Amino acid sequence: MDPLQALPGTYDLLPEEAARWDRLHARVADFMARYAYGRIETPHLEPADLFSRSVGTDTDIVQKEMYAFEDRGGRRLALRPEGTAGVVRAFIEHSLDKQRPYHKLWYWGPMFRAERPQKGRYRQFWQFGVEAFGVAEPSMDAEQIALAWTLADSLGVVAGTLRLNSIGDAQCRPAYRELLLRFLTGIESKLCDGCRARLTTNPLRVLDCKEAGCRRLLADAPRTVDHLCDDCARHFDGVRASLDSMSVPYRLDPGIVRGLDYYVRTAFELDSPRLGAQSSVLGGGRYDGLVKALGGGDVPGVGWAAGIERVLLSTEEPALTSEPLHAYVAAFPETREAALAWAQTLRARGAKVETDHQGRSLQAQMKEGSSLGARYVAVLGPDEWGKGEVTLKNLESGSQEVLVLERAGSLIAPA
Ligand code: HAM
């Protein structure tokens, strides 16, 4: 029988890489606390309808990529392709808008899209993201973009450009759509197959086609930012002014239209030159009508999400280097039991400690301690142990001394 393997586009997270994930998670959680975001987690499984009503029936995500199926009770369910819809559902279900005037929430978890797997593109991938509800002012958009930029910088993401656009709202978009349709119909025969199909379903999305031929033709397309209504224009000016006052660099890009239907006004993406074809590290924008469309009140919202695999692929290593062991406790055959007990004492005091379980030679244990990045190797020789002492070797300086256990313990374990 062939050995079973993980499905295409999915992968196992092994300890070394998982340690990088843990460090990333700690860093992200710290940043979220700095910006006053509270944690929310929603189910990975939701009614499929939630995504068609929010992400949009005509989007690639819902049409082609969503893992949707009927369960044993005949309910149509989906593995969530993104996080915003579930958070909005939870926001409405728990009447969070009745508790406080506004909410800032963040999440971290797996998403599922049946895309063609390639580097940086998976079928089960992970996102962390933020959603802020109840604030229509542009300062919230700007604060979220600043959070994304500063966090990416602190993680050592080799960032490309932060690209910003405004795609208008229900007031100004219909007229713009007409204008765009007229332009696109004029060049229809020269567009790629994908664009020709989108022309009828979602003409705005033609603007973010990556085909070189289409890109050249689209350079002359009407831009949303030139056709905003007064309210949208004022909002966009506000976002830009706040970004400027926080010294967050960005480039205006009329091609940022996003692949999900719920966006209005602000849309943005950050890419990294390290990623190749799948260059977007994070993306988001404003979605003021979404809470209402899903049955809640008239509550504005704005958010973004980052692909965790893509963050890690585009991160310079030093920013997420591992924290080494405090000590490796090396033992002789007579002191193995003692080594296990002393390691237990040090661990209870908060130290990161490893010890030998295989009766290996002292030399092999010293080598293991060094390969695990331990600061100290504590050698429990039988004579010293009998006197309540231990030989402590500092692997950084190479120095070595015999110390009473208590003194060695306080050097190893952090206060
Ligand atoms: P999105 O642009 O579809 O937005 O996804 C956000 C990020 O998820 C992307 O920038 C990318 O890093 C990562 N991503 C997407 N698909 C894949 C994939 N197949 N494999 C690996 N990484 C992937 C959203 O999902 C919105 N919910 C963001 C948002 C939150 N907007 C408002 N609030």
Side-chain angles (χ1 to χ4, degrees), residues 27-51:
R27 203 68 85 74
V28 171
D30 174 52
F31 259 79
M32 294 305 173
R34 287 191 213 178
Y35 285 76
Y37 278 81
R39 180 83 179 262
I40 184 165
E41 291 304 337
T42 60
H44 303 176
L45 207 53
E46 295 272 9
D49 201 28
L50 173 64
F51 303 105

Side-chain angles (χ1 to χ4, degrees), residues 61 81-84 107 113 115 120-123 125-127 130-131 258 260 262-263 269 280-285 287 302-307 309-310:
I61 294 179
E82 61 102 54
T84 310
Y107 52 89
R113 295 184 195 175
E115 295 191 82
R121 188 163 72 190
Y122 309 95
R123 291 183 173 167
F125 62 99
W126 290 61
Q127 285 185 345
V130 294
E131 313 292 353
R258 311 282 297 133
L260 305 89
Y262 49 62
Y263 292 111
E269 283 181 17
S280 160
V281 179
L282 64 88
Y287 48 83
V302 56
W304 57 256
E309 296 86 354
R310 291 192 196 174

Side-chain angles (χ1 to χ4, degrees), residues 247-283:
S247 305
V248 176
Y250 61 87
R251 200 182 77 207
L252 291 184
D253 184 344
I256 300 293
V257 292
R258 311 282 297 133
L260 305 89
D261 278 357
Y262 49 62
Y263 292 111
V264 294
R265 297 190 172 168
T266 317
F268 57 92
E269 283 181 17
L270 177 69
D271 55 27
S272 168
R274 283 208 161 188
L275 288 177
Q278 300 304 315
S279 63
S280 160
V281 179
L282 64 88

